Amino acid sequence: MTTTHLISGGARSGKSRYAESLALQHGGAVCYVATAERRPDAAFAERIAHHQARRPAHWGLAEVGRHLGEALQYAAPGSLVLVDCLGMWLMRFFDEHGQFDADAWQQQRSILLAVLAAPPAAVVLVSNEVGWGVVPLGAETRHFVDELGRLNQDVAQVCQRVTLVACGQPLVLKGAA
């Protein structure tokens, strides 16, 4: 039986580092699925470089755009897929003007949840916990927070394990430690 594990936490909480530590313990092949869309700003490029520098060279890499669930369907049995992160994946459904492609989102979200219910490989998903702050003033930001909160709840429901990371410390919320 394959394992599904959602790891959530705030910005710079250590969630990606924790997910990577789990992937390093996996005995088989690892594929890192990068969901962020590259942006022209230097700060974002630095974030990507930081994540790249931590990954072992022998890990596979996939950049899946909007088609995360479909990509997971093709994971090799016995491998581990590390998805970093669901928040960046959700951002791909907002255009540069903040317009949300609800139809594409619902379709791709449904595919992801169906694959996670019976994945071909172990899957570790990283996501941002964005629901502990104040309600955002902007409509687009509120929509993003709402959609990610609902996605995190639904992914947590189908995953066998859920861990919250704060201050670099994992707290198991669901499943075996």
Side-chain angles (χ1 to χ4, degrees):
M1 182 168 161
T2 57
T3 303
T4 50
H5 189 167
L6 173 64
I7 299 169
S8 184
R12 296 293 183 245
S13 64
K15 61 191 176 293
S16 292
R17 187 180 304 267
Y18 178 66
E20 291 162 3
S21 75
L22 296 177
L24 286 168
Q25 297 172 26
H26 181 71
V30 174
C31 181
Y32 184 96
V33 176
T35 60
E37 185 172 5
R38 293 183 186 269
R39 299 180 190 155
D41 67 275
F44 197 73
E46 187 176 315
R47 280 178 168 245
I48 290 173
H50 179 73
H51 279 259
Q52 289 171 332
R54 285 199 319 239
R55 291 195 303 263
H58 67 275
W59 283 7
L61 173 66
E63 295 182 10
V64 297
R66 289 183 169 191
H67 302 281
L68 176 58
E70 291 147 333
L72 293 179
Q73 291 174 349
Y74 298 105
S79 69
L80 181 139
V81 179
L82 193 165
V83 177
D84 198 355
C85 84
L86 294 178
M88 287 290 149
W89 179 58
L90 170 59
M91 286 183 65
R92 289 187 173 267
F93 295 87
F94 288 85
D95 69 17
E96 64 275 2
H97 305 293
Q99 297 300 307
F100 184 60
D101 188 346
D103 292 336
W105 169 245
Q106 289 305 321
Q107 178 187 30
Q108 293 302 317
R109 184 182 186 284
S110 294
I111 293 168
L112 173 65
L113 292 170
V115 172
L116 290 176
V123 180
V124 174
L125 304 115
V126 176
S127 191
N128 299 305
E129 178 52 59
V130 294
W132 289 352
V134 296
V135 176
L137 293 176
E140 294 87 7
T141 306
R142 277 194 311 274
H143 192 178
F144 174 84
V145 168
D146 290 347
E147 288 297 333
L148 185 57
R150 285 190 283 269
L151 176 65
N152 285 346
Q153 290 179 56
D154 290 344
V155 170
Q157 186 67 35
V158 298
C159 281
Q160 295 153 328
R161 295 180 65 190
V162 178
T163 302
L164 175 69
V165 178
C167 303
Q169 302 302 304
L171 174 64
V172 176
L173 302 178
K174 177 182 175 183

